[in-house]
Amino acid sequence: QVQLLQSGAEVKKPGASVKVSCKASGYTFTSYHMHWVRQAPGQGLEWMGIINPNDGGTGYAQKFKGRVTMTRDTSTSTGYMELRSLRSEDTAVYYCARVEWQSFHIWGQGTLVTVSS
Amino acid sequence: SYELTQPPSVSVSPGQTCSITCSGDKLGERYAAWYQQKPGQSPVVVIYQGHKRPSGIPERFSGSNSGNTATLTISGTQAMDEADYYCQAWDSSNVVFGGGTKLTVL
């Protein structure tokens, strides 16, 4: 079945970087854009950006430009999201998601990133 | 930047109909989607393109989108529908989510 499987929880210190992976299965990886969405504890959903797995083209929310990089590896059907210069406010669950008909129909299970000294 | 506004909370009695609204400038001219999220789980799309229901979503979930408001309606609300609900739309090439509505079934 169609599935997005994310990497495990991370604990990072302020100023560090984190790279979360999202492995796609059950469909042609290059046929659907992959998005990243995060959710801070007790808060709502926040869109971070998009990557086109076919050509690697990206688009980032203004808030994250300069601090986030989304990449992909078509040989393993895996997308990656790297966030740099982490601060405590970046503590959140990070989701990858696949878009169809302008909405998110497939979500990963989420990756908790904790930023703490 | 584009904003979507939802009420923070809505309460409904079991078996009754509830509506959750999402307001944004000319939202009716965009495709709106709705997501249900239960504690500790990933969001699930319940309505897309304003009114379409994905396979596996119960018929009691319906959506409409006109003017500046998209509405998610749950008919015959069940205890299992208690969750957070988020609306979502596109603004140019960016995705926007509403702040979320906590639905309480009591």
Side-chain angles (χ1 to χ4, degrees):
Chain A
Q1 74 279 26
V2 176
Q3 192 172 324
L4 296 173
L5 186 62
Q6 299 183 222
S7 48
E10 304 260 13
V11 179
K12 297 292 183 180
K13 294 192 181 303
S17 299
V18 69
K19 192 170 187 177
V20 180
S21 67
C22 174
K23 183 173 176 59
S25 61
Y27 71 96
T28 302
F29 178 61
T30 52
S31 294
Y32 297 88
H33 293 175
M34 177 178 284
H35 294 243
W36 290 87
V37 176
R38 78 176 186 179
Q39 186 172 36
Q43 302 301 308
L45 302 172
E46 182 175 32
W47 181 74
M48 298 181 70
I50 176 178
I51 182 167
N52 179 348
N54 192 46
D55 62 9
T58 56
Y60 303 133
Q62 184 64 40
K63 175 177 180 177
F64 299 102
K65 284 181 180 177
R67 210 160 63 94
V68 70
T69 301
M70 296 177 188
T71 56
R72 94 292 189 214
D73 181 345
T74 56
S75 68
T76 61
S77 299
T78 302
Y80 299 91
M81 186 284 299
E82 181 180 32
L83 189 62
R84 300 177 292 279
S85 302
L86 291 169
R87 34 210 187 229
S88 58
E89 311 89 88
D90 294 318
T91 294
V93 175
Y94 290 77
Y95 295 100
C96 58
R98 190 186 91 170
V99 162
E100 294 174 73
W101 304 294
Q102 299 193 342
S103 49
F104 300 92
H105 288 248
I106 305 295
W107 294 73
Q109 83 276 21
T111 297
L112 175 62
V113 175
T114 302
V115 183
S116 174
S117 54
Chain B
S1 62
Y2 194 74
E3 293 185 358
L4 295 174
T5 301
Q6 299 180 233
S9 63
V10 169
S11 298
V12 63
S13 299
Q16 298 303 302
T17 296
C18 73
S19 294
I20 300 173
T21 58
C22 174
S23 299
D25 184 49
K26 298 181 181 178
L27 180 56
E29 297 179 10
R30 310 166 192 257
Y31 282 138
W34 289 93
Y35 302 88
Q36 176 193 71
Q37 187 181 34
K38 296 181 179 180
Q41 297 183 16
S42 301
V44 173
V45 61
V46 294
I47 294 292
Y48 68 101
Q49 290 187 339
H51 66 280
K52 296 181 179 180
R53 196 174 52 249
S55 61
I57 299 302
E59 291 184 9
R60 64 180 180 273
F61 288 87
S62 63
S64 63
N65 187 15
S66 179
N68 294 325
T69 304
T71 303
L72 172 69
T73 301
I74 309 174
S75 304
T77 308
Q78 300 183 10
M80 67 173 66
D81 300 329
E82 187 163 286
D84 294 327
Y85 291 84
Y86 296 91
C87 60
Q88 172 256 313
W90 286 75
D91 174 38
S92 184
S93 55
N94 295 303
V95 174
V96 181
F97 287 100
T101 298
K102 181 175 183 59
L103 176 65
T104 300
V105 182
L106 41 67

